[in-house]
Amino acid sequence: MTEEEFDAFYAAAFPRLTGQLYAFTGDHGEAQDVVQEAFVRAWDRRREFLADGAPEAWIRTVAMRLAVSRWRRARRWLELVRRNPPPEHMPGPGPERTALVEGLRTLPETQRRAVVLHHLCDLSVEQVASETGAPVGTVKARLSRGRAALARWLSADDELGEREDDCVR
């Protein structure tokens, strides 16, 4: 099946398959999601599709299996939540965490991303470089500049907090 044939097949079959999966799942959005995912998986097999003879049946089968898998995953999650309900009250972030997040917001995006990936996600400098597509030296520079800027921001924040405490007393 060529790309053009696949596009035509998609245009013709998507609404029909979505309707069928909607009847199966009872959720129109979920039906659209699983049919779309099945078409994405079919894209890699489009050259063999005509040889299979029943491409719509293949898409429908994959979409139904995806829907069942999602349903099972949701059911397992619900059972887990029922067995271990969340605590009644979750405390909010402490002042240190709030100050850190505020400080991170002041950094340029590249420095903020490097600092978060390295210090909060525990990635090595090499892993940060790989994930961001930046050279290792650039990541080291971003980390250094980001930490320095955060230190200045947090120390200025501490000084402001101390001055506010003096005013309250």
Side-chain angles (χ1 to χ4, degrees):
M1 187 177 286
T2 66
E3 288 184 23
E4 293 78 22
E5 291 171 327
F6 189 88
D7 289 347
F9 167 62
Y10 174 86
F14 184 81
R16 185 171 44 253
L17 288 166
T18 300
Q20 294 165 1
L21 268 290
Y22 174 53
F24 181 68
T25 64
D27 181 333
H28 192 259
E30 180 72 9
Q32 288 177 320
D33 287 349
V34 294
V35 171
Q36 186 67 38
E37 177 64 26
F39 270 103
V40 167
R41 292 180 182 194
W43 177 255
D44 293 331
R45 306 185 79 224
R46 70 185 178 281
R47 289 190 174 49
E48 304 100 39
F49 250 37
L50 286 180
D52 289 346
E56 192 167 326
W58 188 90
I59 299 272
R60 184 176 27 263
T61 300
V62 170
M64 287 186 145
R65 287 179 181 166
L66 287 167
V68 168
S69 291
R70 288 180 175 195
W71 179 78
R72 285 181 180 151
R73 224 179 352 253
R75 191 178 75 198
R76 280 193 302 268
W77 180 84
L78 186 59
E79 289 169 1
L80 178 66
V81 169
R82 284 183 180 154
R83 279 189 302 232
N84 304 312
E88 289 295 318
H89 174 71
M90 291 294 292
E96 297 85 14
R97 183 70 166 202
T98 303
L100 175 63
V101 170
E102 287 177 24
L104 285 168
R105 287 181 183 157
T106 66
L107 299 179
E109 189 272 330
T110 55
Q111 289 177 14
R112 181 174 56 244
R113 187 170 184 201
V115 169
V116 167
L117 290 174
H118 185 65
H119 292 288
L120 300 179
C121 299
D122 293 325
L123 298 183
S124 69
V125 171
E126 292 77 16
Q127 290 170 317
V128 174
S130 174
E131 191 163 318
T132 61
V136 170
T138 302
V139 170
K140 289 179 180 179
R142 289 173 180 168
L143 286 169
S144 176
R145 291 180 186 129
R147 285 189 295 252
L150 268 177
R152 284 191 303 275
W153 193 89
L154 291 171
S155 67
D157 190 48
D158 284 345
E159 291 172 11
L160 178 63
E162 290 171 9
R163 283 183 289 221
E164 288 176 355
D165 288 344
D166 291 340
C167 293
V168 173
R169 288 182 208 160

